[in-house]
Amino acid sequence: LTCGATDLVAESGDARLLEALERLWDHMTARQTYISGGVGPRHAGEAFGADFELPNARAYAETCAAIANVMWNWRMLSITGHARYADLMERALYNGALPGISLDGRAYFYENPLADDGTHRRQAWFDCACCPPNLARLLAALPGTFCSQSDAGIWVHLYAAGTMRLPRAEGQEVILSLDTRYPWDGRIEVEVQGEGDFGLFLRLPAWCTQSARVEINGQPFSGPVAPGSYVALQRVWRRGDQVRLHLPMPVRAFQSHPYVTENRGRVALMRGPLLYCAEAVDNPGFDLQDVHLPAGARFEGQFRSDLLGGVVALRTRAEIRPPDAAWTGELYRPAGATSRPTPGSPVDLVAIPYYAWANREPGRMQVWFTQAQAG
């Protein structure tokens, strides 16, 4: 598999096939994909639904479907070299497929809802046991998706600490040594062990909306650095050259399209490539359904080695606003009925990476939070 191989499509006469694939991809990502990268909301038929049909608690979002999303985007990336496929591949990997396996590797999710009352738990096995071996296959094949080559050079798509060995022309080998704590930290150091005139293409994720920085041997790189693309480092490389990539990781609040009616007036949280959720076990004493996040809420991110195998947990100040007392015993009432608003009670809200939920005691979980109106 190589990146930047669009000529292979043209030569084979399959350009129209690629156009069809891209139309399908555009439609799926704009109308039918969960923020987690999961797909397929319907349990019946394990199927896509109508456009913008993305329920949270009733989401199917099968683990295998997220794995298929990773695989499809890997193939689209390999054909086109377009960073948008690597972006979705990464999002579906961390937030769509990875939740399908427990932290101890002994239990699995078939479905991956984005809200739960504490009853949905991973199972040791399934009568239709597609997800466990499919996860094993994905994890085994994953190292092969971190980088690839083309005539232009070496392309790095995903980031993790480790070593990449890449054979080059005339029997030469280039070794890339990556030192990073990604996805907890946006600092990535790449040491080039090899020589030659070739390009090194590093993906700048689309989520990195703040200014990323690139340094080569301690000197700032002056070329184009744009999110959702690859930064092209073309030079004669010497053994021991070092590249440093700095990706800021602020917490970002997302809203969904207005046609996703369940999420109107609500926001979801992401940091780096990771989607976050809140679980009752971290937020005792109040109902997560009553949480209102203030607009412009400030988040404190802290790496917790004692939590869920080591994660960056988020903490922010929020308000609890339960329904007013007039709703007691009522399911409906006339529109415009007056009632005394319930004053908000300040609380500290703790959020964890979505992939790590349901690894402790059962309780409510949710990804989308009501956003408090200004004033």
Side-chain angles (χ1 to χ4, degrees):
L1 296 175
T2 60
C3 277
T6 52
D7 58 321
L8 298 182
V9 176
E11 289 176 3
S12 64
D14 287 338
R16 287 185 297 176
L17 174 59
L18 178 59
E19 290 175 1
L21 289 169
E22 289 176 332
R23 286 197 302 271
L24 289 170
W25 191 93
D26 289 340
H27 186 92
M28 182 188 76
T29 56
R31 296 168 180 255
Q32 295 182 320
T33 302
Y34 282 99
I35 193 170
S36 63
V39 291
R42 293 189 179 180
H43 290 241
E46 300 182 320
F48 282 102
D51 288 352
F52 307 108
E53 181 186 338
L54 296 167
N56 292 319
R58 288 293 299 161
Y60 193 65
E62 185 188 2
T63 297
C64 283
I67 294 171
N69 203 7
V70 172
M71 292 178 173
W72 183 24
N73 279 278
W74 168 240
R75 284 159 176 76
M76 295 295 287
L77 174 65
S78 300
I79 293 171
T80 68
H82 294 165
R84 67 176 188 166
Y85 301 116
D87 284 329
L88 183 52
M89 179 174 71
E90 179 182 65
R91 180 155 57 100
L93 172 65
Y94 278 113
N95 309 300
L98 195 56
I101 186 170
S102 62
L103 295 180
D104 62 9
R106 296 176 179 270
Y108 306 89
F109 271 151
Y110 208 100
E111 308 97 348
N112 292 277
L114 275 70
D116 183 61
D117 61 4
T119 58
H120 185 59
R121 312 303 289 176
R122 294 182 183 86
Q123 304 298 317
W125 200 247
F126 304 102
D127 291 338
C128 180
C130 56
C131 295
N134 215 3
L135 274 166
R137 175 177 66 160
L138 173 69
L139 296 176
L142 192 59
T145 65
F146 273 69
C147 65
S148 55
Q149 297 190 72
S150 71
D151 291 341
I154 298 171
W155 302 67
V156 181
H157 313 299
L158 302 175
Y159 298 111
T163 301
M164 304 175 183
R165 296 179 178 272
L166 301 114
R168 298 293 294 169
E170 302 176 356
Q172 296 180 351
E173 181 183 62
V174 173
I175 300 175
L176 300 182
S177 297
L178 272 68
D179 181 19
T180 183
R181 294 179 65 247
Y182 192 92
W184 312 122
D185 191 312
R187 180 193 60 81
I188 300 160
E189 296 186 358
V190 182
E191 182 172 310
V192 180
Q193 294 296 332
E195 298 183 350
D197 187 353
F198 58 86
L200 178 61
F201 302 88
L202 304 178
R203 183 174 67 94
L204 298 178
W207 56 257
C208 188
T209 55
Q210 293 191 1
S211 298
R213 293 184 292 111
V214 181
E215 300 174 0
I216 303 176
N217 294 329
Q219 299 301 312
F221 173 67
S222 58
V225 178
S229 67
Y230 287 84
V231 58
L233 308 178
Q234 183 71 48
R235 59 185 274 123
V236 177
W237 296 94
R238 299 286 184 251
R239 189 174 300 274
D241 282 346
Q242 292 189 340
V243 178
R244 290 181 179 175
L245 185 60
H246 302 268
L247 306 177
M249 285 189 172
V251 177
R252 291 128 42 228
F254 283 85
Q255 59 183 351
S256 59
H257 192 285
Y259 290 172
V260 185
T261 56
E262 190 172 330
N263 292 337
R264 286 180 183 173
R266 307 173 83 189
V267 294
L269 307 175
M270 296 195 74
R271 180 182 182 272
L274 297 179
L275 177 66
Y276 275 72
C277 69
E279 281 194 290
V281 64
D282 299 307
N283 299 278
F286 58 89
D287 191 331
L288 292 173
Q289 295 180 104
D290 297 332
V291 170
H292 285 62
L293 283 179
R298 295 184 178 182
F299 296 87
E300 175 190 355
Q302 180 183 15
F303 184 78
R304 294 272 307 276
S305 60
D306 61 329
L307 181 64
L308 297 164
V311 299
V312 169
L314 304 181
R315 183 182 297 271
T316 191
R317 201 67 170 164
E319 287 188 351
I320 300 301
R321 297 183 184 177
D324 63 71
W327 280 108
T328 303
E330 299 290 339
L331 184 58
Y332 305 100
R333 70 186 187 193
T338 59
S339 62
R340 180 176 299 175
T342 303
S345 302
V347 295
D348 285 330
L349 178 72
V350 176
I352 62 165
Y354 171 71
Y355 78 80
W357 83 278
N359 280 282
R360 297 168 293 173
E361 62 186 71
R364 185 172 295 280
M365 179 280 296
Q366 66 185 59
V367 167
W368 291 92
F369 302 92
T370 301
Q371 187 167 47
Q373 298 299 314

